[in-house]
Amino acid sequence: MQNYSDAELAALYNESKCSHYLTELFSRHSDIIYRAVIRNMKNSSDAGDMVQKVYRQMVLNLHLYKGKGSVIGWMLQIVFGTCNNQLPTEEGGQSFEEGRQNSIIKMKSEIVQVAIHKNNESQEMIESHLNKLPEINKDPITLQIIEGLSIKEVSDALEISEKKVHTQIAQGFEKLKLSL
């Protein structure tokens, strides 16, 4: 099954309802889905339950994926929508639209990429500064740099144009330079 692309696995599952295709698709992306849930929930004790809700929504809605954009982008849309709909408003909960707008930015700086992977101390320092950024900058940077998604996948996940992703990343990078 590793020879199939994500889009092919989604199509095969939609045609046959064979759980092997779904299992392969989910196992490929389980790490990024879990990390995205934790970042959006801001409470790791709720993450396990939320991951189950996210996967349930993916199974129920996979028939809606029509091959436009990347599958991981579509999956992250489900993560953001499900998490944002579960956040209590008294704790700063946001609508899906606000969450989407505040979710992804890409950092282009090779210096920051090296620092993230260099050692745990550098990684903790970078993550600390990333967490101080507004969501509109933090999420795109995190998805692109830490998770390794392409600009297209980030664009799909946030349902914004690739140009806007580049802009949000550049703005976030400027804020990080000041912070660092």
Side-chain angles (χ1 to χ4, degrees):
M1 290 220 202
Q2 293 177 352
N3 295 332
Y4 292 119
S5 71
D6 290 350
E8 290 170 328
L9 287 172
L12 288 167
Y13 174 76
N14 284 332
E15 291 171 13
S16 69
K17 300 300 182 209
C18 177
S19 64
H20 296 331
Y21 299 120
L22 197 60
T23 301
E24 174 65 21
L25 184 62
F26 287 172
S27 67
R28 285 182 186 181
H29 303 294
S30 61
D31 290 343
I32 191 171
I33 297 298
Y34 184 74
R35 288 189 301 266
V37 167
I38 287 178
R39 277 193 306 275
N40 278 279
M41 292 304 296
K42 296 177 177 50
N43 180 349
S44 59
S45 66
D46 295 335
D49 291 337
M50 184 55 64
V51 167
Q52 294 302 315
K53 289 179 184 179
V54 165
Y55 280 126
R56 190 173 324 116
Q57 288 300 315
M58 287 179 190
V59 171
L60 293 173
N61 293 298
L62 190 57
H63 68 281
L64 299 174
Y65 176 73
K66 301 299 182 196
K68 292 184 178 179
S70 65
V71 175
I72 187 63
W74 177 84
M75 293 170 94
L76 288 168
Q77 288 175 23
I78 300 289
V79 169
F80 298 138
T82 304
C83 290
N84 288 331
N85 288 333
Q86 295 294 318
L87 291 173
T89 52
E90 61 268 15
E91 293 182 18
Q94 300 173 340
S95 70
F96 177 67
E97 179 67 20
E98 291 170 296
R100 178 171 56 94
Q101 291 297 322
N102 292 330
S103 50
I104 300 189
I105 238 175
K106 178 191 175 216
M107 183 179 300
K108 293 182 178 180
S109 170
E110 291 182 38
I111 296 169
V112 175
Q113 289 179 17
V114 170
I116 288 173
H117 298 291
K118 189 174 181 181
N119 60 45
N120 287 339
E121 189 174 296
S122 294
Q123 184 174 355
E124 288 175 17
M125 179 191 70
I126 296 297
E127 286 179 10
S128 170
H129 287 275
L130 275 172
N131 287 331
K132 294 176 186 175
L133 288 176
E135 295 291 324
I136 195 168
N137 302 115
K138 180 177 77 170
D139 290 341
I141 288 172
T142 302
L143 288 175
Q144 211 285 319
I145 300 301
I146 296 175
E147 299 298 350
L149 296 181
S150 69
I151 294 293
K152 173 78 172 115
E153 291 170 329
V154 173
S155 170
D156 291 345
L158 297 178
E159 295 184 283
I160 59 175
S161 71
E162 290 180 36
K163 182 178 179 179
K164 190 162 189 159
V165 171
H166 283 287
T167 300
Q168 290 176 347
I169 290 170
Q171 290 170 349
F173 179 61
E174 288 303 315
K175 291 174 186 175
L176 274 177
K177 280 186 357 185
L178 292 173
S179 176
L180 291 170

